Amino acid sequence: MRTDVGHRMTWRGDRELLPGKWPQKMMGSARKRQFASDNWAGVCPEAWEAMQQARDDHAAAYGEDLWTQQASDLLREIFEIDCEVFFTFNGTAANALSLASLCRSYHSVIAHELAHIETDECGGPEFFSNGTKVLVVSGENGKLHSEQVEWMARRRTDIHYPRSRVVSVTQATEVGTVYRPEELDALRETARRCDLHVHMDGARFANALATLDVAPKEITWKIGVDVLCLGGTKNGLAVGDCVVFFRKELADEFAYRCKQAGQLASKMRFLSAPWVGLLSNDVWLKNARHANQMAQKLAASLNDVPGVAIMFPVEANSVFVQMPASMDAGLRSRGWVFHDFIGAGGARLMCSWDTQPEDVDEFVSDCREYA
Ligand SMILES: *Cc1c(COP(=O)(O)O)cnc(C)c1O
């Protein structure tokens, strides 16, 4: 049973659970940093500093403030287009609400079988769209391929089948691979032929961008992405993802969806100010580049450990490995935490903006102990 992601903590009657003491207890380990997920990491200093600056002043509520204005303008500069931006509390809401706004209830969204919208959002897209169905296809290395997308879109065209309206692409993918611009271009062409909107789940968009080293527009609106859900949480924010509509007309009435879904922050500036810290001076790319480099180091070191097999090309900040059960157990007995239910099985090791080379060395050395 999955007990490691639940938020319901039972009352322990434990008087030692005092502020400053409890986080380590909850991790079940004295380790400062883990490879469990990039959302286990804390807040990067630049985001924290911006939050601090926003702390004292009164400002207009519900996004009518200057921080929100500035964060939105930074995104328009970065993407080099006059886009519509909405800040949400998390990526599930960003995905579910943007897909709901692209679809009617009888439509469908084509996605990879490992896509977060299918496997990790508890039916959120279907719920917020009042019934839009997610149709999944398989594909090597967590990627959608044009042939399967087209097959699914054209499989049936009769009245009895949910009409395909969107193809949803995850960049970087759930297994830590990255779509190349030409792969996205091929999907755009398929989407055009099949009359589909293109939605991008960019929870780890920054990691993909750091790998590809291109202008953000080259892998978004210029190759046909209509809507991007851009992740901030896993890249150094405390909380917050955002929805970027590159085609402004698609954002019509989207603000009402956010409000109705409980995603309109009343003190919006505390969602948006950290974004200003993250997006200024390329901090978001610096964080992502660092996480990617740590994943490269981790993969290279694990490659030499007997019994460990790397499952997918390491192109972003995750390393998926198969390891012997005895090694898995040994690592856990030493306090390491990592998940094995995500993606295609195996242990998923996530690097973060704050992962240190020593963390990698320590983990790999522990792997060797149990090899
Ligand atoms: C983390 C993640 C999200 C967002 O998840 P939330 O927990 O709702 O913030 C969306 N897509 C992918 C691929 C993710 O990894």
Side-chain angles (χ1 to χ4, degrees):
M1 190 184 149
R2 283 167 58 161
T3 53
D4 44 358
V5 291
H7 64 276
R8 286 171 32 183
M9 292 282 163
T10 47
W11 172 245
R12 298 164 41 142
D14 184 343
R15 305 271 294 173
E16 277 179 54
L17 291 182
L18 295 168
K21 279 197 172 170
W22 57 264
Q24 291 190 353
K25 287 222 163 200
M26 283 170 70
M27 284 165 69
S29 143
R31 282 183 200 290
K32 207 158 173 249
R33 288 179 294 269
Q34 291 280 356
F35 294 98
S37 179
D38 32 5
N39 56 21
W40 276 48
V43 181
C44 73
E46 296 87 349
W48 192 264
E49 168 61 26
M51 185 77 143
Q52 179 88 13
Q53 279 185 34
R55 194 183 71 175
D56 290 338
D57 294 342
H58 278 220
Y62 299 110
E64 302 292 326
D65 64 285
L66 290 175
W67 286 103
T68 305
Q69 176 74 49
Q70 200 185 337
S72 307
D73 284 346
L74 277 166
L75 286 164
R76 293 180 187 115
E77 279 169 35
I78 285 168
F79 285 97
E80 302 179 64
I81 191 169
D82 185 15
C83 45
E84 290 281 352
V85 179
F86 299 85
F87 296 93
T88 59
F89 291 103
N90 55 37
T92 297
N95 280 335
L97 295 175
S98 59
L99 289 170
S101 82
L102 295 175
C103 293
R104 293 194 173 156
S105 58
Y106 47 83
H107 285 152
S108 61
V109 174
I110 300 174
H112 192 276
E113 62 188 348
L114 299 178
H116 199 269
I117 59 167
E118 164 72 4
T119 63
D120 285 276
E121 299 190 354
C122 203
E126 291 89 339
F127 175 77
F128 283 108
S129 60
N130 293 312
T132 298
K133 197 172 161 85
V134 178
L135 300 174
V136 298
V137 294
S138 54
E140 220 189 335
N141 292 332
K143 291 183 184 178
L144 288 172
H145 297 279
S146 293
E147 307 77 63
Q148 284 95 328
V149 172
E150 182 146 9
W151 173 79
M152 187 56 96
R154 298 199 191 283
R155 191 173 167 209
R156 291 261 299 269
T157 51
D158 57 87
I159 194 94
H160 306 283
Y161 195 71
R163 190 171 178 197
S164 299
R165 193 74 191 105
V166 176
V167 57
S168 177
V169 185
T170 310
Q171 175 78 313
T173 72
E174 282 77 4
V175 298
T177 55
V178 169
Y179 285 93
R180 299 289 177 274
E182 54 276 19
E183 292 174 309
L184 293 172
D185 206 36
L187 285 172
R188 180 254 294 268
E189 188 46 35
T190 306
R192 193 194 56 75
R193 273 202 308 278
C194 303
D195 194 22
L196 305 173
H197 290 303
V198 181
H199 165 269
M200 184 172 273
D201 176 348
R204 300 191 180 89
F205 180 81
N207 301 89
L209 193 62
T211 296
L212 295 173
D213 198 22
V214 294
K217 66 180 173 186
E218 301 294 339
I219 52 166
T220 53
W221 60 270
K222 278 189 84 179
I223 48 91
V225 175
D226 298 308
V227 183
L228 169 69
C229 294
L230 178 62
T233 311
K234 288 172 181 153
N235 192 26
L237 297 187
V239 53
D241 290 14
C242 67
V243 183
V244 183
F245 285 92
F246 297 114
R247 282 178 48 202
K248 292 179 82 163
E249 69 275 16
L250 294 174
D252 188 37
E253 298 195 340
F254 190 71
Y256 290 94
R257 280 187 195 277
C258 291
K259 175 65 189 179
Q260 187 183 47
Q263 290 286 323
L264 178 65
S266 96
K267 288 184 173 176
M268 179 72 86
R269 63 191 182 282
F270 295 110
L271 276 190
S272 56
W275 274 102
V276 173
L278 195 69
L279 296 172
S280 301
N281 306 316
D282 285 345
V283 170
W284 67 310
L285 291 177
K286 180 191 74 171
N287 286 354
R289 213 174 284 125
H290 174 82
N292 291 358
Q293 280 164 1
M294 290 298 106
Q296 287 299 329
K297 176 176 164 66
L298 182 59
S301 315
L302 286 174
N303 227 352
D304 298 333
V305 179
V308 174
I310 296 181
M311 298 168 66
F312 303 102
V314 176
E315 297 174 343
N317 60 327
S318 58
V319 183
F320 283 77
V321 296
Q322 297 282 7
M323 62 173 78
S326 54
M327 187 185 291
D328 187 293
L331 290 166
R332 292 182 194 280
S333 75
R334 292 202 169 187
W336 290 107
V337 180
F338 47 89
H339 298 314
D340 53 15
F341 58 82
I342 295 166
R348 186 194 70 161
L349 308 169
M350 297 299 311
C351 295
S352 313
W353 66 271
D354 71 340
T355 302
Q356 296 303 307
E358 309 85 89
D359 304 331
V360 173
D361 293 339
E362 200 188 336
F363 184 83
V364 175
S365 136
D366 283 354
C367 287
R368 288 189 182 285
E369 293 278 317
Y370 294 99

